[in-house]
């Protein structure tokens, strides 16, 4: 009996658990409640509703997911489609013990109800609320199942940078979704040195008149790159008004966020009246890889929507795909949740219990006790759905976000490429690139050709001068010196000069008109600071600056410059005086050290050749006085290749050959230098260049208002007390003429472009030393100004077609000192230019002497071996042996050989006379040998008288 009662209690317990929707811990629930919050009346909402219902049906019919537990979905329409008023609708879902809610559809609603989800610990799984600020840190129970707009904005920024644009205009809905998305876009553009130049917010409830007012202001702006980030509710109205205002024609670029592709995908086929408004527009679509699951779901979609009575067939957009997968994600997370032994319980919030009797029935809302565990299971899902592989990154975002770049053409959509967080822009699907190393270099970014608004394939320039009647304000320095470069025409607001002509010629090459006006900068009495002029561009006082503005590091940090149109580095100018030739002009080609070293080498080479030839050549023998004269004569006669003595030894000829080559080079250099000295007027200056000027203590002049002063102080370390500002060329010439003794300057430092004009009629001054900086002049524009790029191209074209040189010759080619043939005294030829030759010659002499010494020592030991042995036995003194060796060296080599042979014969004769047997034969042999020697000797004759 007791057993029967126990069985009945278990049955009642299971029934009660089922009736409570799974609040009992004793067994798995028969069903679980999930909610869905979205707008039923929108096209996207209709698609989402079908997708969710289909997913629930598929899951409930699949026993491998959740076993016997079924999903029961409660759909609540977000009829208000706005934040605060949606609270009541979500609370209705919470009151029925809902474990999770799919939605909401809008980011605005998600911001509000995420606070409720946090309080009640109920996960919100949204496939369409893509606001970047809905982060998992602030809203831990908000789970994003589609990519965040952070990645969409990164893709748009990549598009802007890919086409070389720098400024864009952002039109957006003035709500959480629009503001936060455009804020993210600004950050991504800044990473690529691009920016949003104009923001045009529109009220979420804007009328056509309000949209028109906003677009009129956009049309007056400079940029023609328009980013539209809104929702499908009034996004099409923007395009409708834009077409009415003529803003969908040539020159404009429209990039729409994914709302447009979602809208166009929702209708199949796309009505022609919709595509007509958006021809040439680029839009993004969340990329879902092609798969068998996706193809099967698309084939089912026609059957799922076939019985619906709508104006046009519903297409399947990314909302439908992600809504379907979101249900599956939740089901698999619940399956994992239950398999881990978790059960479903709810508890009342004590704070909400105090609100009994309120119209919202908050006292009926409970906290999901296992909400954290279910959220963990959701983030741990690793599955493949119709949208591809689904897995979460540690930051709470789906992994591998990617987008398709869509171009609206004709009556359809054309995909021109992809964007992925892995490799940026490409024409290959992202899933193909995931297996390769990430490569986001600019060379690897590729897209297919685009047909832009106005049915053109040529990439739009992206900007125009704003059509607001405002002229470009160009600051021009009002100089008091070197007015050939830039000067104001008296009594007018016009300017003339080299810089002005270059600017006008470049502007005339642009394919568009540039409305501008010149504004003088300066007081007309002092040269203005070009650095200050550049700074005023950053302050908005000027829109550009034209004139003799040097491109320096400091200035490039403030503005952008065009391509330099003239090179102009710093040089030093100093007074010079004419150098007369004089009676001793022939000594000037060589420095004293060069003369001394050359003379020493003449003597050294003569001595070396004498040593090498002395034992072989009769020309190098004789009395000591004669030998000294021979050395001197031979040495210096080689200078003119007039030596009469022949060299017979191999080593002597080798040394002489090397020396004659050295003499040839020295003679040629001396002749060229002396010719220059005697035929060209020479100028000299005590200042040799910037190095000698820095090391001196003399005052230095510089052009007032130029960057030269800062460079001399900061880069070269010259004390500012030595620097003297000079305004005009006349003042500069007087200061150089007076010199430091009369209150002037020792030298003047300025840019070469100025100096060439300054020296054109002042032949008593010249440039000394070398150009010690490399600068150029350019036109200044604000950072990232497209006009700077176009003018740079025009300046290069002027240089290529010769117009730049013709402008230069018109204003600057008027030098009167060019034909005088004067030049600054060149440096004299010194040892540094020839030390290599002397080194080779010295090495040749040393090698020859070393070889000669080895040969002499060998001969000495060979011919005096007996005497060396006898002298060593007698312990003769070292000085005696040295004298004997020197005597041997001084002897002629032929005599040494003869004496050695005679001694050899005497030894043979001595051994023959002491022999008794065969004496006659020995005597006969001895006689025969002596006869042969007598015939070969030129000094003596020997007989054979002692033969008897």
């Amino acid at each position: 009996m007791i057993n029967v009662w126990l069985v009945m209690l278990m049955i009642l317990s299971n029934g009660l658990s089922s009736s409570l929707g799974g609040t009992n811990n004793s067994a798995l629930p028969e069903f679980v409640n999930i909610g869905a919050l979205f707008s039923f009346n929108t096209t996207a909402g209709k698609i989402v509703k079908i997708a969710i219902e289909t997913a629930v049906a598929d899951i409930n019919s699949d026993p491998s997911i959740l076993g016997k537990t079924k999903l029961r979905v409660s759909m609540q329409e977000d009829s208000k489609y706005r934040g605060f008023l949606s609270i009541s609708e979500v609370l209705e879902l919470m009151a029925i013990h809902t474990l999770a809610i799919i939605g909401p559809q809008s980011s605005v609603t998600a911001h509000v109800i995420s606070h409720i989800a946090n309080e009640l610990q109920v996960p919100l799984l949204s496939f369409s609320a893509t606001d970047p600020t809905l982060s998992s840190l602030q809203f831990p129970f908000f789970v994003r199942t589609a990519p965040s707009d952070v990645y969409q904005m990164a893709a748009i920024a990549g598009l802007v940078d890919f086409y070389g644009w720098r400024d864009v205009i952002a039109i957006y809905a003035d709500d959480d979704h629009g503001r936060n998305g455009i804020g993210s876009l600004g950050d991504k553009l800044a990473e690529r040195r691009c920016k949003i130049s104009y923001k045009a917010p529109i009220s979420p409830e804007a009328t056509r008149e309000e949209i028109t007012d906003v677009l009129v202001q956009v049309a007056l702006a400079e940029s023609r790159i328009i980013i539209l980030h809104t929702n499908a509710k009034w996004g099409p109205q923007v395009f409708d008004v834009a077409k009415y205002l003529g803003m969908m024609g040539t020159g404009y670029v429209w990039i729409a966020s994914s709302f447009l592709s979602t809208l166009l995908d929702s209708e199949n086929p796309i009505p022609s009246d919709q595509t007509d408004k958006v021809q040439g527009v680029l839009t993004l679509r969340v990329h879902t890889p092609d798969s068998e699951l996706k193809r099967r779901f698309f084939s089912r979609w026609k059957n799922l929507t076939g019985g619906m009575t709508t104006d046009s067939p519903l297409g399947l957009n990314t909302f439908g795909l992600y809504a379907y997968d979101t249900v599956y994600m939740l089901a698999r997370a619940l399956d994992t949740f239950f398999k881990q032994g978790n059960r479903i319980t709810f508890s009342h919030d004590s704070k909400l219990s105090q609100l009994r009797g309120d119209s919202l029935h908050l006292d009926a809302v409970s906290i999901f006790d296992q909400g954290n565990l279910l959220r963990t299971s959701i983030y741990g899902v690793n599955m493949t759905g119709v949208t591809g592989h689904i897995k979460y990154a540690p930051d709470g975002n789906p992994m591998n976000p990617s987008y398709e770049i869509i171009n609206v053409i004709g009556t359809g959509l054309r995909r021109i490429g992809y964007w992925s967080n892995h490799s940026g822009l490409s024409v290959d699907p992202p899933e193909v690139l995931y297996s390769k190393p990430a490569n986001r270099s600019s060379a690897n970014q590729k897209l297919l050709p685009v047909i832009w608004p106005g049915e053109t394939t040529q990439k739009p320039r992206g900007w125009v001068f704003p059509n607001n009647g405002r002229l470009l304000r160009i600051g021009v320095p009002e100089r008091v010196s070197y007015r050939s470069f830039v000067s104001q025409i008296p009594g007018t607001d016009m300017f003339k000069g080299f810089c002005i002509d270059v600017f006008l010629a470049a502007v005339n090459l642009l394919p568009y008109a540039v409305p501008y006006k010149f504004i003088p900068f300066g007081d007309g009495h002092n040269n203005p600071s070009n650095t200050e002029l550049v700074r005023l561009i950053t302050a908005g006082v000027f829109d550009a600056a034209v004139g003799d503005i040097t491109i320096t590091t400091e200035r490039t940090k403030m503005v952008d410059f065009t391509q330099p149109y003239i090179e102009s580095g710093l040089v030093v100018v100093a007074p010079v005086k004419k150098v007369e030739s004089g009676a001793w002009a022939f000594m000037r080609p060589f420095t004293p050290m060069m003369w001394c070293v050359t003379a020493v080498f003449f003597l050294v080479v003569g001595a070396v050749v004498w040593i090498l030839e002395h034992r072989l050549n009769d020309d190098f023998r004789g009395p000591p006085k004669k030998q000294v004269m021979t050395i001197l004569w031979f040495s210096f006669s080689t200078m003119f290749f007039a030596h009469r003595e022949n060299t017979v030894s191999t080593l002597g000829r080798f040394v002489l050959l090397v020396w004659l080559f050295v003499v040839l080079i020295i003679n040629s250099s001396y002749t060229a230098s002396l010719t220059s000295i005697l035929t060209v007027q020479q100028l000299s200056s005590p200042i040799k260049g910037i190095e000698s000027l820095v090391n001196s203590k003399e005052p230095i002049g510089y052009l007032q208002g130029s960057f030269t002063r800062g460079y001399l102080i900061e880069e070269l370390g010259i004390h500012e007390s030595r620097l003297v500002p000079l305004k005009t060329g006349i003042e500069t010439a007087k200061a150089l003429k007076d010199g430091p003794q009369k209150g002037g300057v020792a030298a003047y430092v300025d840019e070469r472009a100025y100096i060439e004009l300054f020296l054109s009629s002042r032949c008593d001054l010249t440039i000394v030393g070398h150009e010690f900086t490399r600068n150029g002049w350019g036109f200044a524009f604000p950072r990232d100004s497209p006009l700077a790029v176009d003018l740079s191209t025009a300046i290069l074209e002027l240089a290529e077609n010769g117009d730049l040189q013709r402008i230069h010759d018109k204003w600057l080619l008027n030098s009167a000192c060019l034909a005088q043939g004067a030049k600054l005294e060149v440096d004299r030829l010194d040892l540094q230019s020839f030390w290599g030759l002397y080194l080779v010659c010295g090495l040749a002499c040393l090698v020859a002497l070393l070889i000669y010494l080895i040969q002499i020592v060998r001969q000495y030991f060979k011919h005096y071996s007996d005497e060396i042995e006898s002298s060593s036995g007698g312990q003769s003194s070292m000085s005696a042996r040295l004298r004997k060796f020197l005597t041997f060296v001084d002897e002629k080599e032929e005599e040494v050989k003869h004496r050695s042979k005679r001694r050899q014969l005497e030894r043979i004769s001595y051994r023959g006379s002491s022999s008794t047997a065969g004496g006659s034969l020995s005597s006969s042999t001895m006689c025969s040998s002596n006869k042969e020697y007598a015939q070969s000797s030129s000094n003596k004759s020997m007989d054979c008288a002692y033969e008897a």
Side-chain angles (χ1 to χ4, degrees):
M1 191 65 180
I2 295 175
N3 293 333
V4 172
W5 282 107
L6 290 175
V7 170
M8 292 181 65
L9 288 173
M10 291 177 62
I11 294 173
L12 290 173
S13 175
N14 289 335
L16 181 62
S17 173
S18 300
S19 63
L20 293 176
T23 61
N24 194 293
N25 290 332
S26 61
L28 292 177
E30 181 182 351
F31 61 87
V32 290
N33 291 327
I34 63 173
L37 182 65
F38 55 93
S39 179
F40 297 166
N41 295 327
T42 62
T43 302
K46 296 175 183 178
I47 295 173
V48 168
K49 185 175 184 294
I50 297 173
I52 292 177
E53 291 174 344
T54 303
V56 170
D58 291 346
I59 292 169
N60 289 337
S61 62
D62 186 357
S64 65
I65 304 176
L66 291 176
K68 296 182 179 181
T69 303
K70 305 300 181 182
L71 292 180
R72 186 164 65 184
V73 59
S74 299
M75 296 190 182
Q76 183 70 38
E77 182 177 6
D78 185 11
S79 58
K80 311 298 186 300
Y81 206 66
R82 60 181 64 185
F84 180 75
L85 297 180
S86 301
I87 294 178
S88 60
E89 295 162 352
V90 74
L91 288 177
E92 292 182 21
L93 293 174
M94 299 289 190
I96 59 173
H97 289 176
T98 301
L99 304 186
I101 296 177
I102 298 174
Q105 187 171 336
S106 71
S107 297
V108 176
T109 304
H111 269 281
V112 176
I113 68 174
S114 289
H115 293 284
I116 302 176
N118 289 349
E119 183 69 25
L120 302 181
Q121 299 184 16
V122 176
L124 295 177
L125 290 80
S126 180
F127 51 84
S128 56
T130 54
D131 181 356
T133 62
L134 288 167
S135 66
S136 58
L137 295 178
Q138 182 183 8
F139 304 111
F141 284 88
F142 177 82
V143 181
R144 198 190 309 273
T145 62
S148 166
D149 276 345
V150 168
Y151 305 106
Q152 182 173 202
M153 297 308 164
I156 293 176
L159 274 174
V160 173
D161 182 58
F162 175 78
Y163 290 110
W165 301 313
R166 287 293 172 261
D167 291 353
V168 303
I169 295 175
I171 303 176
Y172 58 96
D174 194 14
D175 55 19
D176 291 334
H177 177 245
R179 283 191 305 271
N180 297 330
I182 293 302
S184 180
L185 174 63
D187 295 339
K188 295 301 179 180
L189 288 172
E191 293 175 3
R192 301 173 178 269
R193 287 198 64 185
C194 305
K195 68 178 187 297
I196 301 175
S197 59
Y198 181 71
K199 292 184 178 180
I202 299 179
S203 170
E205 302 296 331
T207 62
R208 184 179 178 88
E209 290 73 19
E210 292 173 338
I211 295 175
T212 302
D213 292 340
V214 171
L215 291 185
V216 167
Q217 296 301 316
V218 170
L220 296 177
E222 178 179 303
S223 176
R224 284 293 181 264
I225 313 300
I226 302 174
I227 311 298
L228 181 60
H229 180 53
T230 180
N231 53 51
K233 181 180 180 180
W234 54 265
Q237 296 183 44
V238 175
F239 289 113
D240 189 23
V241 175
K243 185 174 182 180
Y244 173 76
L245 295 177
M247 299 175 64
M248 300 299 297
T250 304
Y252 280 90
V253 174
W254 286 82
I255 302 177
S257 56
S258 58
F259 83 88
L260 180 59
S261 62
T262 302
L263 180 64
L264 296 178
D265 289 339
S266 301
E267 300 188 25
N268 188 19
I270 305 173
S272 59
D273 59 337
Q274 289 194 21
T275 57
D276 289 344
K277 300 175 184 177
V278 291
Q279 287 297 303
V281 174
L282 294 181
T283 184
L284 276 68
R285 175 200 289 153
V286 180
H287 173 61
T288 55
D290 187 27
S291 64
E292 182 63 27
L293 284 174
K294 181 179 176 181
R295 288 193 293 269
R296 285 206 302 259
F297 190 66
F298 265 92
S299 63
R300 291 177 59 192
W301 189 255
K302 293 181 180 180
N303 296 329
L304 294 173
T305 59
M308 299 185 63
T309 57
T310 57
D311 296 336
S312 60
L314 289 177
L316 180 56
N317 57 26
T318 55
F319 280 0
L321 295 174
Y322 274 96
Y324 183 86
D325 274 353
T326 299
V327 179
Y328 258 91
M329 283 177 56
L330 179 57
R332 292 190 180 277
L334 285 169
D335 189 47
T336 303
F337 174 83
F338 289 131
K339 288 180 179 178
Q340 292 175 347
N342 298 307
R343 296 296 179 261
I344 299 173
T345 61
F346 289 88
S347 60
H348 291 286
D349 190 337
S350 58
K351 299 177 182 179
L352 297 178
S353 299
Q354 300 174 3
L355 300 176
R356 296 180 182 276
D358 66 295
S359 59
L360 294 178
H361 303 288
L362 295 179
D363 56 327
V365 178
S366 303
I367 296 176
F368 179 27
D369 295 331
Q370 289 77 33
N372 276 314
L373 296 176
L374 179 58
R375 183 190 61 175
T376 303
S377 297
I378 293 172
Y379 280 125
V381 167
N382 188 353
M383 57 171 276
T384 299
V386 295
T387 60
H389 185 235
I390 300 172
K391 186 178 180 181
Y392 279 91
D395 63 354
N397 285 306
M399 295 185 66
N400 299 326
S402 59
Y403 290 86
E404 298 175 5
I405 313 298
I406 305 298
N407 185 201
V408 182
I409 303 174
T411 59
L413 308 178
R414 176 174 177 261
R415 183 176 56 232
I416 63 170
Y418 303 87
W419 179 93
S420 69
N421 199 39
H422 179 73
S423 297
L425 299 172
S426 71
V427 295
D428 298 320
E431 55 270 18
V432 176
L433 302 176
Y434 289 145
S435 59
K436 302 177 182 179
N439 185 356
R440 305 193 67 173
S441 63
S442 57
N444 197 53
Q445 306 299 292
K446 297 178 182 178
L447 289 175
L448 297 176
V450 177
I451 297 180
W452 304 98
E455 299 183 357
T456 177
T457 57
Q458 183 178 2
K459 185 198 76 171
R461 188 172 69 247
W463 69 279
V464 295
F465 283 100
N467 187 22
N468 53 12
R470 178 177 171 272
L471 301 177
L472 201 67
R473 298 165 299 177
I474 300 179
V476 182
E478 194 173 5
R479 303 194 56 85
V480 296
S481 62
Y482 306 118
R483 296 176 63 83
S484 295
F485 290 103
V486 58
S487 62
Q488 187 172 10
I489 301 175
T492 68
D493 58 354
M494 301 177 63
F495 286 80
K496 64 178 182 178
F498 169 72
C499 302
I500 301 299
D501 279 6
V502 172
F503 175 76
L504 296 177
V507 167
N508 289 335
L509 292 178
L510 298 180
Y512 49 86
V514 180
Y516 65 89
K517 65 176 179 178
F518 290 134
I519 302 175
F521 173 71
D523 57 11
H525 304 289
N526 299 287
N527 289 322
S529 171
N530 284 337
T531 301
E532 179 63 18
L533 173 59
V534 168
R535 191 194 66 79
L536 291 177
I537 296 177
T538 63
V541 177
F542 297 116
D543 299 315
V546 171
D548 48 344
I549 304 173
T550 305
I551 304 173
T552 65
T553 303
E554 179 185 5
R555 295 170 184 173
T556 54
K557 293 178 180 179
M558 295 186 284
V559 297
D560 282 348
F561 282 93
T562 62
Q563 172 79 16
Y565 57 87
I566 188 172
E567 299 296 328
S568 183
L570 291 178
V571 294
V572 178
V573 174
V576 292
K577 61 180 180 180
K578 182 179 179 181
V579 178
E580 301 295 339
S581 296
W584 299 94
F586 68 90
M587 296 293 291
R588 285 169 51 197
F590 288 163
T591 61
M593 177 60 71
M594 181 66 181
W595 280 116
C596 294
V597 172
T598 303
V600 169
F601 261 84
F602 271 107
L603 296 177
V604 169
V605 171
V608 170
V609 173
W610 177 84
I611 292 172
L612 299 176
E613 295 289 323
H614 179 66
R615 302 183 71 242
L616 298 174
N617 196 337
D618 290 338
D619 290 338
F620 292 88
R621 299 187 66 82
K625 183 178 180 180
K626 178 185 176 184
Q627 294 184 46
V628 171
M629 294 302 298
T630 299
I631 292 174
L632 294 175
W633 166 254
F634 179 82
S635 298
F636 292 102
S637 62
T638 55
M639 180 184 296
F640 311 102
F641 305 98
H643 50 286
R644 292 176 298 177
E645 294 79 8
N646 293 322
T647 53
V648 297
S649 67
T650 302
L651 293 176
R653 290 175 177 176
F654 168 70
V655 171
L656 183 61
L657 180 63
V658 174
W659 174 243
L660 290 178
F661 176 74
V662 174
V663 170
L664 176 64
I665 301 300
I666 292 175
N667 280 345
S668 302
S669 303
Y670 176 85
T671 302
S673 180
L674 183 61
T675 302
S676 176
I677 291 173
L678 297 179
T679 58
V680 180
Q681 178 182 329
Q682 301 291 307
L683 304 176
S684 67
S685 171
I687 304 298
K688 301 302 180 183
I690 188 62
E691 294 83 4
S692 62
L693 193 60
V694 171
N695 295 329
S696 69
K697 302 296 182 183
E698 304 292 345
I700 305 170
Y702 69 93
L703 182 63
Q704 182 192 49
S706 72
F707 77 99
T708 307
R709 182 180 186 276
Y711 182 86
L712 295 177
I713 295 175
E714 298 172 7
E715 301 296 333
L716 301 183
I718 298 176
H719 197 274
E720 58 182 345
S721 61
R722 295 178 55 194
L723 302 180
V724 179
L726 301 170
K727 296 182 181 179
T728 64
I730 297 175
E731 184 179 348
T732 302
K734 183 179 183 302
L736 288 170
K737 181 178 180 181
D738 293 343
Q741 295 77 14
K742 297 182 181 181
V745 296
Y748 176 70
V749 179
D750 207 347
E751 298 182 68
R752 178 176 287 275
Y754 295 136
I755 295 303
E756 290 178 350
L757 187 62
F758 172 71
L759 297 178
S760 62
S761 59
R762 295 178 175 89
C763 302
D764 57 338
L765 303 172
T766 191
I767 297 174
V768 294
H770 54 81
E771 189 174 336
F772 56 93
T773 65
R774 291 290 184 269
N775 300 105
W777 292 356
F779 305 132
F781 291 89
R783 282 294 187 133
D784 301 321
S785 171
L787 188 57
V789 178
D790 291 350
L791 276 179
S792 293
T793 304
I795 290 172
L796 291 175
E797 186 175 348
L798 289 175
E800 292 172 357
N801 62 26
D803 288 344
L804 190 60
Q805 184 62 42
R806 283 187 285 272
I807 298 173
H808 177 276
D809 296 344
K810 170 186 174 182
W811 289 98
L812 307 178
L813 191 63
N814 55 356
S815 176
C817 294
L818 294 178
Q820 293 188 5
K823 69 172 183 175
L824 188 66
E825 182 182 17
V826 296
D827 292 336
R828 303 166 74 183
L829 299 175
D830 56 13
L831 185 61
Q832 185 177 3
S833 304
F834 299 94
W835 71 269
L837 286 173
Y838 285 126
L839 178 62
V840 172
C841 183
L843 290 176
C845 292
L846 288 177
V847 171
L849 287 176
L850 181 61
I851 296 175
Y852 178 74
L853 179 61
I854 294 173
Q855 292 176 346
I856 288 296
V857 172
R858 290 182 61 192
Q859 288 182 9
Y860 177 74
F861 280 99
K862 177 180 180 182
H863 294 293
Y864 288 89
S865 58
D866 295 339
E867 294 184 11
I868 292 172
E869 292 175 0
S870 61
S871 62
S872 61
Q875 298 180 352
S876 60
S877 65
M878 180 64 69
S879 60
R881 281 183 287 176
L882 181 59
R883 284 195 301 271
K884 192 172 185 65
F885 177 74
L886 293 177
T887 303
F888 171 77
V889 172
D890 186 57
E891 284 185 300
K892 195 173 182 179
E893 187 175 345
E894 185 177 358
E895 294 179 358
V896 172
K897 291 181 179 179
H898 289 168
R899 186 169 62 253
S900 176
K901 192 170 185 178
R902 185 173 67 250
R903 289 177 180 175
Q904 182 181 6
L905 291 175
E906 289 177 353
R907 286 196 297 271
I908 295 174
S909 176
Y910 175 76
R911 288 196 299 270
S913 62
S914 60
S915 176
T916 56
S920 60
L921 179 59
S922 300
S923 300
S924 174
T925 303
M926 184 68 181
C927 180
S928 175
S929 300
N930 286 335
K931 286 180 180 180
E932 291 177 0
Y933 175 75
Q935 292 175 0
S936 63
S937 174
S938 60
N939 299 325
K940 298 181 181 180
S941 63
M942 299 181 62
D943 56 20
C944 296
Y946 57 87
E947 181 181 2

